[in-house]
Amino acid sequence: MPRCKYCHSEITKFDTDICPKCGERNPIDDNYRTMDITQHIDPQTGDFKLYKSKSKKLTLFLTALLGPLGIDEFYRGFTGRGVSNLLLTIAVVGGLGTCFMLLDITQYWIYFALYSFIWLLHIVRAIFMSKNDSLKDARGEFLR
């Protein structure tokens, strides 16, 4: 919001003729320009940088293809969720696979079957995510 150059109160950018607070003429400086709301200030340097939001299509692709490894969550910036997805996959495939091996089921395809089951769950998750229009990344920005 611009400020009146006389009384320094906030006014709208449409109050170019007279300030509604103090009544002075031409309250907005000639060099005033509005700020783009997509710009963000870098806290370290103070520079304005445009934030490029994450892609929804790439997120869905990563969820369907590499979801059990948590790659989709790492892409969106949710590191904790990505690590938990990876550890959960390792625990389920390794733990249940080893339990089946201890029960004297000596086929190694059980590991592949368990991973395939988790992978199918992530494909279903990607389908549900495709219907959701309010997906956000870790910074709270909507996916484009």
Side-chain angles (χ1 to χ4, degrees):
M1 300 277 299
R3 294 190 173 272
C4 174
K5 62 183 174 182
Y6 303 110
C7 66
H8 303 291
S9 60
E10 284 190 4
I11 56 176
T12 65
K13 64 181 179 179
F14 303 111
D15 295 327
T16 56
D17 295 338
I18 297 174
C19 175
K21 308 287 185 196
C22 65
E24 293 290 330
R25 293 185 179 268
N26 300 324
I28 300 175
D29 285 330
D30 295 333
N31 60 359
Y32 175 78
R33 65 173 212 260
T34 58
M35 183 186 301
D36 186 7
I37 61 171
T38 59
Q39 288 182 341
H40 295 274
I41 299 175
D42 186 11
Q44 295 175 346
T45 62
D47 294 336
F48 287 103
K49 291 186 178 180
L50 290 176
Y51 175 71
K52 186 174 181 182
S53 62
K54 308 290 186 195
S55 169
K56 183 177 180 180
K57 288 181 184 178
L58 183 59
T59 301
L60 296 176
F61 177 74
L62 290 174
T63 302
L65 189 64
L66 299 171
L69 303 177
I71 303 298
D72 59 323
E73 301 293 348
F74 286 120
Y75 170 70
R76 288 184 9 205
F78 296 111
T79 308
R81 287 186 198 173
V83 170
S84 66
N85 275 354
L86 180 62
L87 292 178
L88 186 66
T89 300
I90 291 171
V92 168
V93 173
L96 284 178
T98 304
C99 288
F100 284 127
M101 295 295 280
L102 292 176
L103 292 175
D104 204 25
I105 301 174
T106 57
Q107 284 97 10
Y108 291 105
W109 61 267
I110 196 70
Y111 292 106
F112 179 73
L114 288 170
Y115 184 80
S116 298
F117 175 72
I118 293 173
W119 182 56
L120 287 174
L121 288 177
H122 281 278
I123 289 176
V124 170
R125 181 175 166 238
I127 291 170
F128 282 114
M129 285 173 66
S130 69
K131 309 244 185 269
N132 188 356
D133 289 333
S134 62
L135 290 176
K136 295 181 179 180
D137 63 1
R139 294 180 62 167
E141 300 284 333
F142 288 106
L143 300 180
R144 59 176 161 83

